[in-house]
Amino acid sequence: MKKILFAVALFAVAGTAVAQDKVVRKCRDLKEEVQNLVANPQRSEKETAQMKEKIQQCMEMLSPTFTSPETKKELANAWDIKAQMHKYLFAPLLENVINKHPTDTAGLAENIYAALDAMEECYKATQALGLKGDKDPYTQPNKSDVIKFRMYVAFCGQMFFQNGQHKKALNAFRRWMNYPQLYTILGADAQQLAQDETTPQMAYYTCLCAYFAKDNKAFNEFIPKAREYTQEKAQVNQLYMANLLETGDTVQWLKVGREVVAEDPTTSEGVAQNILAYYFNHDDQASAMAFADEILAADELSKIGNFAKGVVLMNQKKYEEAIPFYDKAIEVDPEFSDAYFNAGVCWSNHGYDLNEALAGKKMTQAQFNEAVKPVKEAYAKAEPYFLKVQELEPDNTHKWAARLSTVYYILENKAKQAEMDKYLE
């Protein structure tokens, strides 16, 4: 009795396997019907509706065959048919993109991804079945499509990003970046795709999407490759540092920033200014000085390096030492208003200190007049710097009017002092 039951059970399993393979063969017939409809560009709306209906019917019939252990010889065929159905579905959507017509971006991406994944599963099935050469009608044409579809994946990422759908854009670009690992069907061609010259640029786009999507793990995964994108090096570095700062990694932010500035001080002035501001805000004069020296070691004509050195010395009240660095910054950029202003302040402060040193000393008027000469000379040297600030920023009166008023007060030029005071009213 047990033997009979066992034989019946075997028969049932075999019958199920045959049934699953028959389903796949029936879907193959449906695929041919769909192909005929797709091939007819003059098809009617009714025929288009029939085509979509047959695709849906085919997909529903195929669905259980992928998970059923009874699907045997036809598994590769099943995946190939599924891939073809998704190709038929995304083709008109892709045509809209090419013709710059509105399209269903989500539908396009969904069907491209599904087609790619089905072709990969088809390849795995051919390997499991041991299909090779003439017995494998799937791998070569599918491989060609997988290579071609990588560009379509990039299209999807671009469209999602333009629509502000950053997570979906990230998924698309991440798929593009991981293409050589995702699709084993590529075989030896995977290495060539991995070395594609646009990879650093695509890594930058991936990081940009990760930044907006707040996916720090993805950002950190692709930023090393993105930093190889030399055409937009400044933008990549700016993005990297912004992400580090927003995630609270100030140690790495400072490290990377200093590397960026050392590599190219000329094009990274903004980065240098941010780092210096950080040091000044944290009252870290030693680090600010060391950083300024690093910049000047890389480029002694660096505008920001000279300016930074001047600021550090100025904060240390070494006014006369600071002025030559501001003058060098001005030499590099004759319209560097802040450098003129700071140099003027240094001369004014130096004059003020000289004047304070005279307080309490008993002198005759003649002695005082002689002693005050260096004070007036210092303020006189400040005047042309503040006048240049006035020339460069005429509307920013609070920046130069009060300073010039003080200069003219010390120089006893009452007419010009009154002129400056009018700006302050």
Side-chain angles (χ1 to χ4, degrees):
M1 183 65 179
K2 287 183 179 180
K3 288 183 179 180
I4 294 173
L5 288 174
F6 185 64
V8 171
L10 282 175
F11 177 79
V13 170
T16 304
V18 171
Q20 291 293 348
D21 285 344
K22 280 185 177 179
V23 168
V24 176
R25 288 193 287 272
K26 186 173 181 180
C27 286
R28 184 171 58 196
D29 295 336
L30 271 173
K31 183 185 80 167
E32 291 176 1
E33 293 178 32
V34 172
Q35 281 177 327
N36 292 332
L37 289 167
V38 170
N40 178 17
Q42 304 300 323
R43 64 180 179 270
S44 65
E45 290 185 9
K46 182 178 179 181
E47 288 173 323
T48 299
Q50 288 176 344
M51 179 187 74
K52 292 180 179 178
E53 184 178 331
K54 288 179 183 294
I55 291 174
Q56 184 63 33
Q57 182 185 354
C58 183
M59 298 281 246
E60 289 175 358
M61 290 172 64
L62 282 173
S63 184
T65 67
F66 301 121
T67 54
S68 173
E70 286 77 31
T71 308
K72 301 295 184 183
K73 296 179 181 179
E74 297 293 335
L75 182 58
N77 192 14
W79 282 113
D80 185 65
I81 294 170
K82 178 176 170 61
Q84 193 61 54
M85 293 300 105
H86 285 292
K87 292 176 192 177
Y88 291 147
L89 288 171
F90 80 65
L93 301 176
L94 184 62
E95 189 175 348
N96 286 340
V97 175
I98 295 170
N99 294 325
K100 298 182 179 179
H101 295 156
T103 196
D104 176 8
T105 305
L108 174 62
E110 180 182 337
N111 283 291
I112 290 174
Y113 300 163
L116 284 166
D117 293 343
M119 287 187 283
E120 172 68 9
E121 291 300 326
C122 176
Y123 173 70
K124 291 177 180 177
T126 63
Q127 298 297 295
L129 292 168
L131 301 181
K132 295 180 180 179
D134 294 340
K135 293 183 179 181
D136 178 9
Y138 313 111
T139 299
Q140 205 53 45
N142 282 345
K143 179 180 178 180
S144 179
D145 276 347
V146 169
I147 293 172
K148 181 171 66 175
F149 288 6
R150 195 185 195 196
M151 178 174 61
Y152 302 160
V153 172
F155 283 165
C156 292
Q158 182 181 359
M159 287 186 291
F160 281 132
F161 186 80
Q162 289 173 345
N163 294 336
Q165 296 172 291
H166 299 123
K167 287 186 178 180
K168 290 184 177 180
L170 172 60
N171 288 337
F173 287 126
R174 179 159 41 194
R175 185 180 286 258
W176 192 98
M177 289 295 298
N178 293 331
Y179 221 75
Q181 295 78 41
L182 283 174
Y183 301 112
T184 59
I185 187 175
L186 293 169
D189 290 315
Q191 184 176 1
Q192 184 178 351
L193 289 182
Q195 295 171 347
D196 188 295
E197 62 181 8
T198 64
T199 299
Q201 182 179 11
M202 296 299 290
Y204 169 53
Y205 295 156
T206 308
C207 288
L208 198 60
C209 294
Y211 174 78
F212 287 115
K214 305 297 182 185
D215 190 332
N216 199 49
K217 182 178 179 181
F219 188 97
N220 289 333
E221 180 182 353
F222 297 106
I223 192 61
K225 180 58 68 174
R227 295 189 75 189
E228 296 176 17
Y229 183 36
T230 55
Q231 291 91 327
E232 301 287 350
K233 180 180 287 188
Q235 287 85 339
V236 174
N237 286 332
Q238 184 179 11
L239 178 67
Y240 187 21
M241 293 192 68
N243 189 70
L244 288 170
L245 202 57
E246 290 181 20
T247 54
D249 192 350
T250 53
V251 173
Q252 184 68 4
W253 178 78
L254 289 168
K255 178 179 179 294
V256 171
R258 292 177 78 149
E259 289 172 357
V260 166
V261 175
E263 183 179 348
D264 190 353
T266 305
T267 62
S268 53
E269 289 182 357
V271 176
Q273 287 175 329
N274 288 336
I275 293 175
L276 288 164
Y278 176 88
Y279 287 139
F280 291 140
N281 290 337
H282 288 77
D283 197 26
D284 189 350
Q285 298 293 322
S287 294
M289 178 67 85
F291 182 49
D293 287 337
E294 280 180 24
I295 301 173
L296 293 175
D299 179 11
E300 62 181 12
L301 296 179
S302 168
K303 179 179 78 172
I304 192 63
N306 280 287
F307 182 78
K309 183 90 170 185
V311 171
V312 176
L313 292 169
M314 180 177 172
N315 286 345
Q316 294 175 350
K317 297 186 177 182
K318 297 177 181 179
Y319 302 121
E320 288 185 289
E321 291 182 43
I323 292 166
F325 291 99
Y326 289 131
D327 286 341
K328 180 62 73 173
I330 291 167
E331 183 181 328
V332 176
D333 181 2
E335 296 189 354
F336 194 178
S337 181
D338 286 345
Y340 286 106
F341 179 80
N342 280 11
V345 171
C346 281
W347 278 121
S348 295
N349 287 356
H350 177 59
Y352 177 83
D353 287 347
L354 291 175
N355 190 57
E356 286 293 293
L358 299 178
K361 291 186 177 180
K362 294 182 178 181
M363 291 181 284
T364 65
Q365 186 62 44
Q367 289 173 327
F368 176 79
N369 291 340
E370 189 64 28
V372 85
K373 281 183 180 180
V375 176
K376 291 186 175 183
E377 287 173 2
Y379 278 95
K381 289 178 180 179
E383 180 190 13
Y385 290 103
F386 291 134
L387 286 174
K388 189 64 177 181
V389 176
Q390 181 185 14
E391 177 188 328
L392 294 170
E393 300 183 60
D395 296 330
N396 197 2
T397 54
H398 74 277
K399 190 171 184 177
W400 44 265
R403 291 288 180 174
L404 282 169
S405 176
T406 301
V407 167
Y408 294 133
Y409 170 76
I410 298 296
L411 297 180
E412 300 180 73
N413 189 329
K414 293 183 179 180
K416 286 190 175 182
Q417 181 187 354
E419 182 184 337
M420 291 300 114
D421 289 343
K422 285 183 180 179
Y423 287 109
L424 300 171
E425 291 177 356

